[in-house]
Amino acid sequence: MKVNIRTPEQLEKMRVAGRLAAEVLEMIGEYVVPGVSTEQLDTLCHNHIVDVQKAIPACLGYRGFPKSVCTSVNQVICHGIPSPKKILKSGDIINIDVTVIKDGWYGDTSKMFLVGKVAGHAERLVNVAQECLYKGIELVGPGTRLGDIGHVIQQHAEANYYSVVRDYCGHGIGDVFHEDPQVLHYGKPGTGLELREGMTFTIEPMVNAGRSETKLKSDDWTVETRDGRLSAQWEHTMAVTANGVEIFTRRSDERF
Ligand code: MF3
Ligand code: CO
Ligand code: CO
């Protein structure tokens, strides 16, 4: 496993790309309402990235993915394809996953949105999934091992009687979209890669209300829960610093 260590100049480029990706999620929030199609959301994100940010939507054409962002509604875990036929309704939960390329460097982030009035159990899943991300991030720093991060995420999900998806994981990121290391959202403390200053990666836990098993739909992209129950995911891109972590994709609605 070859894990890159980024120079200060490279980190500055990731800072810029990360800020742009976060800005797309800040921009799209007001449009995530009952009656909008996921294709309309995709178009708004695409145009903002291309026309306003003068950046590139990394998902568009990535391994044949047909749209600029992923929109994953309710039982869809990840990689949902925006469609004019998918109209959001009150009570839905949706993950929008945005990756931009700016000056050759990547920023990758996602968040959950509540559509209209959402059931308490669904909102709770969304909140616990976000807490899982934050608990993972809190541990990031030199000397931490990836198993420590996976463990704290798994613990928090399972303490709430949820499960963690094992078939998909976080990843190294930089001037390519996905690279080593794999960042698992489950694991054992004291195992796995030891983090060092200058490493850059995502943490992006997918938390299921029911069982952890996944099912790939016939479009070869959409990943759903096998049991049909809800799933929630949050993602940030970050770097290991001398004394902790820098989140490149932090939004203004976040406190850290
Ligand atoms: N943004 C996703 C991730 O977090 C990857 C999406 S790949 C796509 O790694 F092709 F589906 F867009
Ligand atoms: Co990612
Ligand atoms: Co992503």
Side-chain angles (χ1 to χ4, degrees):
M1 184 170 46
K2 171 83 180 74
V3 177
N4 288 306
I5 301 293
R6 307 302 180 184
T7 67
E9 293 71 27
Q10 294 172 330
L11 293 171
E12 178 54 28
K13 293 193 172 182
M14 293 192 69
R15 205 168 278 129
V16 172
R19 175 91 281 272
L20 294 179
E23 249 172 52
V24 177
L25 293 179
E26 293 171 349
M27 178 280 298
I28 201 66
E30 65 178 288
Y31 301 102
V32 185
V33 293
V36 75
S37 72
T38 54
E39 166 141 301
Q40 286 175 299
L41 297 175
D42 179 76
T43 300
L44 287 161
C45 291
H46 175 94
N47 291 345
H48 187 80
I49 294 167
V50 172
D51 299 334
V52 179
Q53 299 183 334
K54 313 291 182 201
I56 299 168
C59 293
L60 186 60
Y62 176 75
R63 297 177 181 230
F65 191 80
K67 296 289 179 178
S68 294
V69 299
C70 297
T71 51
S72 302
V73 180
N74 294 339
Q75 80 287 354
V76 177
I77 296 170
C78 61
H79 304 166
I81 303 174
S83 161
K85 292 188 301 191
K86 185 65 190 175
I87 313 283
L88 297 184
K89 58 182 192 308
S90 183
D92 285 343
I93 60 171
I94 178 175
N95 175 280
I96 302 180
D97 192 338
V98 176
T99 309
V100 306
I101 312 169
K102 183 70 172 181
D103 202 11
W105 292 77
Y106 287 71
D108 183 7
T109 186
S110 78
K111 71 170 277 190
M112 299 298 299
F113 297 88
L114 308 175
V115 183
K117 195 170 159 32
V118 167
H121 68 89
E123 185 166 1
R124 197 171 154 278
L125 173 69
V126 165
N127 290 338
V128 169
Q130 187 177 36
E131 290 159 11
C132 284
L133 171 60
Y134 288 169
K135 283 177 183 287
I137 288 173
E138 268 177 39
L139 292 183
V140 174
T144 299
R145 301 184 65 168
L146 285 179
D148 302 335
I149 293 169
H151 178 74
V152 76
I153 291 169
Q154 179 183 7
Q155 276 293 122
H156 189 60
E158 292 178 357
N160 285 279
Y161 304 99
Y162 298 142
S163 65
V164 168
V165 170
R166 293 173 178 247
D167 297 343
Y168 300 86
C169 59
H171 49 92
I173 184 169
D175 54 357
V176 296
F177 199 163
H178 298 105
E179 63 179 21
D180 282 340
Q182 288 195 44
V183 181
L184 304 183
H185 304 112
Y186 60 92
K188 296 201 190 326
T191 68
L193 177 75
E194 184 176 325
L195 298 181
R196 286 178 47 200
E197 183 179 359
M199 290 180 177
T200 53
F201 53 86
T202 73
I203 303 179
E204 49 183 299
M206 288 144 273
V207 178
N208 292 355
R211 294 180 54 85
S212 64
E213 284 79 9
T214 67
K215 182 175 77 181
L216 183 64
K217 293 193 74 175
S218 58
D219 62 20
D220 267 357
W221 277 107
T222 308
V223 179
E224 293 190 342
T225 56
R226 205 166 257 286
D227 63 12
R229 295 182 65 187
L230 295 177
S231 186
Q233 178 179 30
W234 297 76
E235 175 177 24
H236 273 312
T237 296
M238 65 203 77
V240 181
T241 63
N243 43 18
V245 62
E246 178 180 353
I247 312 292
F248 291 140
T249 48
R250 194 182 70 83
R251 299 178 306 279
S252 50
D253 60 275
E254 296 180 296
R255 296 191 302 103
F256 50 76

Short mmCIF file of all heavy atoms in Angstrom, two decimals, residues 108 171 202 204 235, ligand 2:
data_model
loop_
_atom_site.label_atom_id
_atom_site.label_comp_id
_atom_site.label_asym_id
_atom_site.label_seq_id
_atom_site.Cartn_x
_atom_site.Cartn_y
_atom_site.Cartn_z
N ASP A 108 -14.15 16.04 -1.94
CA ASP A 108 -15.23 15.05 -1.98
C ASP A 108 -16.00 15.14 -0.66
O ASP A 108 -15.42 14.98 0.42
CB ASP A 108 -14.58 13.67 -2.15
CG ASP A 108 -15.56 12.52 -2.28
OD1 ASP A 108 -16.78 12.75 -2.38
OD2 ASP A 108 -15.08 11.36 -2.27
N HIS A 171 -11.55 6.70 1.49
CA HIS A 171 -10.42 6.48 0.58
C HIS A 171 -9.43 7.63 0.62
O HIS A 171 -9.81 8.78 0.89
CB HIS A 171 -10.95 6.35 -0.86
CG HIS A 171 -11.92 7.44 -1.25
ND1 HIS A 171 -11.51 8.60 -1.86
CD2 HIS A 171 -13.26 7.57 -1.07
CE1 HIS A 171 -12.56 9.39 -2.06
NE2 HIS A 171 -13.64 8.79 -1.58
N THR A 202 -10.77 10.58 2.83
CA THR A 202 -12.15 10.82 3.24
C THR A 202 -12.52 9.86 4.36
O THR A 202 -11.97 8.77 4.48
CB THR A 202 -13.16 10.61 2.10
OG1 THR A 202 -13.29 9.21 1.83
CG2 THR A 202 -12.72 11.34 0.82
N GLU A 204 -16.42 8.49 5.34
CA GLU A 204 -17.76 8.62 4.77
C GLU A 204 -18.68 7.47 5.17
O GLU A 204 -19.15 6.70 4.34
CB GLU A 204 -17.67 8.74 3.24
CG GLU A 204 -16.80 7.70 2.55
CD GLU A 204 -16.72 7.96 1.03
OE1 GLU A 204 -17.77 7.92 0.39
OE2 GLU A 204 -15.60 8.20 0.53
N GLU A 235 -19.97 12.67 4.54
CA GLU A 235 -18.58 12.53 4.11
C GLU A 235 -17.82 13.85 4.19
O GLU A 235 -18.35 14.90 3.80
CB GLU A 235 -18.55 12.04 2.65
CG GLU A 235 -17.13 11.97 2.05
CD GLU A 235 -17.09 11.42 0.63
OE1 GLU A 235 -18.12 11.50 -0.07
OE2 GLU A 235 -16.02 10.90 0.25
CO CO B 2 -15.49 9.65 -1.20
#
